[in-house]
Amino acid sequence: MSSSTPDKELRRLALSVLQPGFVGTEAPDWVLRAIADGLSSVVLFSRNIASPQQVARLTAQLRAENPALVIAIDEEAGDVTRIESSTGSTRPGNFALGAVDDTELTESVARDLGRQLHAAGVSLNYAPSVDVNSNPDNPIIGVRSFGVDAELVARHAGAWIRGLQSAGVAACAKHFPGHGDVAVDSHHGLPSYDADLDTIAAQALPPFRAAIGAGVRAVMSGHLLVPAYDPHFPATLSSRILDGLLRKELGFDGLVVTDAIEMGAVTDRYGIGGATVRAVVAGCDAVCVGGEHAGPETVDELVAALVDAVGSGDLTRARLEEASERVKAFADWSLGLTRTVPVNPISGDIGYVAARRAIRLGGSAEAVLPLTAPPHVVELVPSTNLAIGKETPWGVAAPLRERLPGTTFVRVHHQELAADGALLESYGLTPAAGRPLVVVVRDAARNKWMGHALAELADARPDAIVVEMGLPGATAPGAAQIFTHGATAASGVAAAEVLAGTREPAHRA
């Protein structure tokens, strides 16, 4: 069958399994037309969000075309935030919650987020990441994980899912079967998880078992090769992993969603259309697309690819219908919650409470804090992966300046430092003469340039106070260390409060 003359019902089936993004804070005409033609889902990104009220208007506009429309978002409530991308998240991320290790707190934070998303009209959240960050050099997971221990991650995965779904928003456990033990960013290449079956069962699968046990409504596939299960196809394109492991062995019967299908790990070899077809053949029910390709031409291309694949026999109509039915069942479930779940937020600033509880101190912190004079703050800025919005603010200097007027700060990027070897002296040390020096880093142990810059500053100023907003390394230089376990706005405020002495001292690391 040619893609130029598909039968109408087949085109509706193809549309129904896509979850595309779009540009703008109002729904474009092409999206509204696609919904009328059978599109069952859309996904929101930070480019679609200006305020909670605007998002509620946007989702209402979309649902005027179809009240059961699935509206998804990628909101981890940590370093990866969409609903608060312009301000930074007012809730700490998974790694901070894992550091506290209070499942009731984790459930409360997720419920608070769920109520915010539900009030905005969101029905599916591509979270939580239940990957176990067992490789400290992992460039894509890091503080998005609850931790490095499978059982800790499992219990917080269950708590987070229960909290979110109790507020009427479906959770989506990702990135199946586990993206924590890789060293390649799947946005750009194909990672390989080379463990044997026993290791995978002990290291990566317990959080997914816990998620399924907690009633998670969706699971997101990971774009990674897992040779122990399938040496040829990444998980998103592997029926051995999606049907054999996830469906049959683990017993999951909910919605399987792809990670963004335009990512290099799958498109470099198969193209976006080929990857979409192979994902549905393998057992994916919904195809997430539009983070980077957000126009109607992408939807048209994927619809044509699916229709042509049915015509050629590469994809059976029965498999496409099965995927479409799972999307419909999910949509019916979420529609039933829109009128029954309360939307009032939890009283109190639960996100800030959690961020404060996640702070840990090291070195001589108790002896030198709080600061007695406004400091100079040097923030060393890493390159972040594509999951983290470039526009999302982070750091300690801004909230510290509010609490200690006279605080000065500078941000230093790797490229600037490489171009000017004297930059740390002129921008960092000279302005800090006779004043406290605070150095803020983010994954200094994984970013070698940052570790070297931090060591240089600490050598010159052994009394420097170091704030690590990423994964804590084995050792940290400086007289005192503050570990936030994440770089959210809430974590920055919590660190600033410790520096300024406006809160009780935090726990020691």
Side-chain angles (χ1 to χ4, degrees), residues 109-151:
V109 170
R111 183 180 300 113
D112 187 53
L113 172 66
R115 288 176 175 173
Q116 181 183 15
L117 295 179
H118 185 265
V122 171
S123 54
L124 170 61
N125 186 11
Y126 296 150
S129 165
V130 303
D131 307 290
V132 180
N133 197 63
S134 45
N135 185 343
D137 292 326
N138 192 320
I140 187 68
I141 302 300
V143 296
R144 299 167 67 191
S145 169
F146 288 108
V148 300
D149 176 75
E151 293 308 314

Side-chain angles (χ1 to χ4, degrees), residues 155-492:
R155 61 178 173 267
H156 286 277
W160 206 97
I161 288 162
R162 288 190 296 272
L164 188 81
Q165 294 191 164
S166 71
V169 177
C172 180
K174 62 186 184 186
H175 306 81
F176 189 80
H179 213 301
D181 194 14
V182 301
V184 173
D185 183 344
S186 50
H187 289 94
H188 308 298
L190 178 61
S192 186
Y193 179 22
D194 296 323
D196 59 30
L197 292 176
D198 289 342
T199 301
I200 294 169
Q203 182 185 66
L205 295 184
F208 288 100
R209 292 185 186 276
I212 294 167
V216 72
R217 304 297 305 195
V219 168
M220 177 175 282
S221 64
H223 298 332
L224 71 160
L225 201 66
V226 189
Y229 281 99
D230 191 331
H232 304 296
F233 296 107
T236 297
L237 314 182
S238 171
S239 61
R240 295 182 188 178
I241 291 173
L242 298 183
D243 186 53
L245 176 59
L246 180 58
R247 294 284 190 208
K248 292 187 172 68
E249 184 175 331
L250 300 189
F252 179 66
D253 62 359
L255 190 74
V256 176
V257 185
T258 73
D259 203 350
I261 203 67
E262 63 261 53
M263 290 166 63
V266 290
T267 59
D268 286 351
R269 182 171 180 182
Y270 302 105
I272 192 169
T276 295
V277 169
R278 287 176 179 271
V280 177
V281 169
C284 290
D285 307 306
V287 177
C288 171
V289 65
E292 304 300 313
H293 295 72
E297 64 283 349
T298 298
V299 171
D300 290 342
E301 180 181 354
L302 300 191
V303 167
L306 291 166
V307 167
D308 284 349
V310 172
S312 68
D314 291 337
L315 169 64
T316 66
R317 186 165 184 142
R319 169 79 269 270
L320 187 58
E321 288 172 343
E322 178 187 47
S324 182
E325 279 300 312
R326 279 216 183 89
V327 174
K328 184 180 185 302
F330 178 93
D332 290 344
W333 170 84
S334 62
L335 178 62
L337 292 176
T338 57
R339 303 175 186 90
T340 60
V341 176
V343 297
N344 55 303
I346 294 175
S347 59
D349 296 327
I350 188 68
Y352 288 97
V353 169
R356 290 170 186 133
R357 288 184 62 187
I359 294 286
R360 298 291 183 268
L361 303 180
S364 59
E366 283 119 338
V368 302
L369 295 177
L371 298 172
T372 57
H376 182 59
V377 180
V378 178
E379 295 183 339
L380 301 176
V381 183
S383 298
T384 54
N385 61 68
L386 288 176
I388 299 172
K390 303 296 183 190
E391 74 284 354
T392 304
W394 68 279
V396 173
L400 184 57
R401 189 167 50 179
E402 294 175 3
R403 289 157 179 79
L404 279 179
T407 295
T408 57
F409 77 97
V410 64
R411 298 200 121 195
V412 177
H413 297 256
H414 184 205
Q415 298 88 338
E416 298 170 320
L417 196 56
D420 182 358
L423 197 68
L424 290 180
E425 179 70 37
S426 57
Y427 280 23
L429 296 172
T430 299
R435 304 168 56 194
L437 172 64
V438 176
V439 185
V440 183
V441 294
R442 193 171 175 180
D443 291 326
R446 191 172 61 79
N447 291 283
K448 289 184 172 55
W449 75 268
M450 189 181 295
H452 292 150
L454 173 58
E456 183 178 336
L457 289 168
D459 284 346
R461 285 288 301 267
D463 63 335
I465 299 165
V466 177
V467 182
E468 172 59 83
M469 302 193 78
L471 293 176
T475 58
Q481 298 91 35
I482 300 174
F483 303 100
T484 64
H485 303 95
T488 68
S491 300

